[in-house]
Amino acid sequence: STRKNAWDKSGAKDVLANAQSNLPQGTQDTLAIAKQKIFNRQNLRTPTVFFGIGEEQPFYMERVPSLLTERVRHNLGFFYLNYALVTTVLFCLTLLISPSAIIGIGLLGFAWMAVIRATSEGSMQVKGITITQKQASIGMGGISVLVLIWLLSHIFWMALATSGFLCGVHGLLRDASMHKDEEDKVMMQGDLSLDEEASFLNSELEEGPQSLA
């Protein structure tokens, strides 16, 4: 709770809120719809679907170029959240085997704690210059971005290359054609009254013989 209060007092939350509110309403709506559609958890496929467990031949190399192109296009759209998850997991695993990056991130965290503690009363003095919490947060945000880029650049490219290779192999070999119609399913809602349906059919059957007579 103390860290949350310090975060609220720092003004960083207000900066993000103001930046978002300054966007045009149309842009905000577009971003909200895109976020809801792209990060929909229903688009994260289960391991059974991702690896084709239980299917007769989930992986094989398609030799027809047009069919291979269609397969890759479908897999990219169907498994994109799984591919993003694989990239994230590989990034975290690569980070764990990089002690220098972990130490750097730890030092950056201590720096943030020191700045938040120094500005807990609303501002701090640096060589006679008064710096507010908001200014300190913006400055630390910029420094953090530069430090993280410097620390994680090699890790990022290593994880991206590894995940790109693995996801590329999966996209080429995974035959998920049986799931192509899954996104086109229409959820039927509403109750079906069997009594009304049965009475309608009975009336049709009764009118049929009379018309023949």
Side-chain angles (χ1 to χ4, degrees):
S1 59
T2 304
R3 292 181 180 179
K4 184 178 184 299
N5 293 333
W7 168 260
D8 294 337
K9 291 180 180 179
S10 66
K13 185 177 180 181
D14 296 334
V15 172
L16 295 176
N18 291 334
Q20 183 177 3
S21 62
N22 289 332
L23 294 174
Q25 186 61 41
T27 303
Q28 295 184 31
D29 296 339
T30 302
L31 292 175
I33 294 173
K35 180 180 179 181
Q36 182 179 4
K37 183 177 180 180
I38 294 175
F39 296 101
N40 189 351
R41 289 189 59 185
Q42 294 181 353
N43 294 332
L44 183 63
R45 313 306 172 186
T46 63
T48 302
V49 176
F50 187 69
F51 294 106
I53 300 174
E55 298 180 18
E56 183 177 353
Q57 194 176 7
F59 293 93
Y60 71 90
M61 188 63 189
E62 178 60 63
R63 300 184 180 278
V64 180
S66 59
L67 296 179
L68 181 61
T69 303
E70 175 62 22
R71 171 190 289 183
V72 173
R73 186 196 64 79
H74 172 256
N75 285 343
L76 288 176
F78 191 70
F79 294 113
Y80 72 93
L81 273 186
N82 296 82
Y83 294 152
L85 180 61
V86 169
T87 303
T88 303
V89 171
L90 288 176
F91 178 82
C92 294
L93 293 177
T94 308
L95 180 63
L96 292 177
I97 61 176
S98 179
S100 60
I102 296 176
I103 294 173
I105 293 174
L107 293 176
L108 187 61
F110 281 116
W112 268 103
M113 292 177 61
V115 170
I116 291 174
R117 184 175 298 177
T119 58
S120 59
E121 297 181 357
S123 63
M124 64 179 182
Q125 295 286 333
V126 179
K127 295 183 178 181
I129 301 175
T130 302
I131 300 177
T132 63
Q133 284 182 332
K134 182 178 294 187
Q135 293 171 342
S137 299
I138 295 174
M140 276 300 298
I143 294 173
S144 299
V145 170
L146 295 177
V147 171
L148 289 175
I149 291 175
W150 179 70
L151 287 174
L152 305 178
S153 59
H154 65 289
I155 296 176
F156 172 79
W157 291 114
M158 184 183 300
L160 187 64
T162 306
S163 64
F165 173 76
L166 295 176
C167 296
V169 171
H170 181 276
L172 286 172
L173 300 181
R174 176 71 173 100
D175 178 25
S177 56
M178 64 180 298
H179 302 287
K180 279 188 176 181
D181 297 332
E182 185 168 328
E183 297 178 354
D184 298 329
K185 290 181 179 178
V186 178
M187 299 300 295
M188 302 299 293
Q189 297 181 353
D191 297 331
L192 175 62
S193 177
L194 296 178
D195 294 337
E196 294 179 359
E197 183 71 16
S199 61
F200 172 77
L201 293 176
N202 290 333
S203 63
E204 289 290 333
L205 290 175
E206 291 176 357
E207 292 178 0
Q210 291 178 1
S211 62
L212 292 176

